[in-house]
Amino acid sequence: MLTLAIESSCDDTAVAIMDGNRLLSSLRSGQEDIHTRFGGVVPELASREHLKAIEPLTTAALKEARVARTDLELIAATRGPGLVGSLLVGFSFARALSHVLDLPFVCVDHMAGHILSPFLGRTTPTFPYISLTVSGGTSAIHLAEDFTSFRQLGHTRDDAAGEAFDKVAKLLGLPYPGGPAVSEHAEAGNPEAFAFPRSWLDDSLDFSFSGLKTAVLNRVNHFRQCREEVPVADICASFQAAVIEVLVTKTLKAAREHGVREIALGGGVSANKALRSAFADACRRDGCTLHAPPPAFCTDNAAMIAFAGQRLFEREGGRTDLLELDVYSRSAPEPTAQNRECR
Ligand code: KG4
């Protein structure tokens, strides 16, 4: 089914064209240059950039895929969670396209896209699998039962893993987005230099990263107050090690508790090389199979929205209430891709 998908939940405008499992084009227009000055995403600037990018990017994606608008069979768009102003640009543009071209329309939950993103990789998971999605907006563990049912087993109680990377980068004076910068510095550092706290929250599969972020802040302030040079590489390596240990341990625990041996990663933080390598080791040790999308499909992209949208359409058909549909900002605990309510 020839599908055009649009993703605009945060600061990436993305458009993909997919036909069944064949990805014909997947383009992204990032806004890092705009937001890096502020050390994080400025929502109003993000919406304005989406407005500028959405039409030319859609035209470019169609051109690269060698597809005419009139050949399309389905339109899919991210409905939430995310920044409302950003979501509204892509979602409204996609709804208008579906109306003008008289094509069926499906709304995809951003988290459902990340949970299914390993299907864009070299090895694809079999259901049921345990999904860890770690991005700038959320960190969650789901039991993926099929292409449209995802049971949430744990989620972040405060900062998302990516948010923690971004905040630590900011306090160290590193550029936004912080994840790639922190992981690059971490490569030259000692992960055991500082014993930063791991928040286990008893037996829960939930996450909490705000205490870790505060511990890093206190340590950095200590160096600054003593007028000593901040050992950036060691701080990055020790912080990253603490995040990774918690993510790996809780994900593998979820797999054991649910008798599942398939593990899949998704979201921007899953592009982190040290995280992937720690997961590979832990999965080998526990007899699990690991699936992760290529780095380009870890961060926000429209290919995952096209994939999820097609599966959803096969199961539930398209939406007929186009004019009443609205976007939502908060994460739904069970992201069935066709959420009906704002949450
Ligand atoms: O999935 P994503 O593109 O957007 C959201 O839906 O949030 O994730 C972006 C997040 C940012 O917080 C960024 O710092 C983090 O993913 N990230 C990384 C890496 N690459 C991106 N975190 C750690 N290591 C990386 N290599």
Side-chain angles (χ1 to χ4, degrees):
M1 177 147 229
L2 198 47
T3 302
L4 181 144
I6 291 180
E7 152 67 37
S8 69
S9 62
C10 190
D11 61 340
D12 290 308
T13 319
V15 181
I17 316 281
M18 204 168 190
D19 193 7
N21 284 339
R22 249 177 3 115
L23 185 61
L24 305 180
S25 65
S26 177
L27 300 184
R28 164 189 169 273
S29 171
Q31 307 176 1
E32 292 84 357
D33 293 351
I34 311 271
H35 302 293
T36 196
R37 273 178 277 157
F38 305 97
V41 177
V42 181
E44 187 177 333
L45 295 181
S47 323
R48 288 169 190 265
E49 291 305 308
H50 284 303
L51 268 178
K52 284 188 219 158
I54 190 83
E55 201 286 321
L57 201 69
T58 303
T59 302
L62 285 164
K63 191 171 172 203
E64 188 176 304
R66 294 169 192 266
V67 165
R69 272 165 216 240
T70 45
D71 295 335
L72 293 169
E73 295 169 297
L74 177 68
I75 306 286
T78 304
R79 188 178 176 193
L83 300 172
V84 165
S86 291
L87 286 163
L88 276 172
V89 176
F91 193 70
S92 304
F93 185 86
R95 270 190 309 172
L97 261 187
S98 109
H99 180 67
V100 169
L101 299 171
D102 197 19
L103 293 177
F105 178 74
V106 281
C107 329
V108 178
D109 185 278
H110 182 74
M111 292 305 295
H114 277 309
I115 293 169
L116 295 177
S117 64
F119 284 93
L120 302 168
R122 267 189 305 118
T123 66
T124 57
T126 45
F127 294 106
Y129 64 87
I130 293 291
S131 154
L132 172 73
T133 42
V134 267
S135 67
T138 194
S139 302
I141 298 179
H142 287 91
L143 178 66
E145 292 166 324
D146 60 45
F147 285 117
T148 55
S149 319
F150 316 109
R151 184 140 58 97
Q152 185 176 280
L153 306 177
H155 70 115
T156 183
R157 294 190 188 172
D158 41 56
D159 289 351
E163 193 179 351
F165 269 94
D166 293 338
K167 287 177 175 169
V168 163
K170 191 173 180 180
L171 70 90
L172 288 169
L174 303 177
Y176 172 85
V182 169
S183 68
E184 206 174 298
H185 282 274
E187 279 177 28
N190 172 9
E192 289 170 11
F194 302 102
F196 289 134
R198 276 78 167 146
S199 180
W200 297 112
L201 304 173
D202 301 321
D203 261 356
S204 169
L205 293 174
D206 284 351
F207 300 110
S208 164
F209 294 110
S210 71
L212 169 61
K213 178 196 65 194
T214 308
V216 174
L217 176 67
N218 289 341
R219 182 60 71 158
V220 170
N221 281 343
H222 175 78
F223 283 110
R224 286 184 180 148
Q225 277 154 9
C226 298
R227 296 183 188 280
E228 287 175 28
E229 194 183 330
V230 178
V232 174
D234 283 350
I235 297 235
C236 288
S238 303
F239 159 77
Q240 182 175 274
V243 175
I244 291 175
E245 187 180 332
V246 172
L247 293 176
V248 171
T249 306
K250 290 200 178 233
T251 306
L252 271 290
K253 175 170 149 65
R256 276 194 301 280
E257 284 178 3
H258 290 270
V260 170
R261 287 181 178 274
E262 297 269 310
I263 298 207
L265 307 180
V269 181
S270 67
N272 184 289
K273 278 194 227 148
L275 177 85
R276 285 176 175 241
S277 141
F279 261 106
D281 291 347
C283 285
R284 214 172 294 122
R285 188 193 61 219
D286 280 23
C288 293
T289 310
L290 179 67
H291 306 273
F297 299 132
C298 290
T299 46
D300 289 349
N301 67 88
M304 67 183 191
I305 304 302
F307 182 88
Q310 291 185 134
R311 296 300 169 286
L312 190 66
F313 183 74
E314 284 157 14
R315 185 168 166 157
E316 296 189 5
R319 299 295 294 247
T320 50
D321 50 350
L322 271 190
L323 285 177
E324 283 103 79
L325 286 173
D326 199 358
V327 299
Y328 51 87
S329 62
R330 307 287 291 290
S331 200
E334 316 288 318
T336 65
Q338 194 74 308
N339 283 295
R340 274 158 224 285
E341 310 267 316
C342 297
R343 293 173 197 245

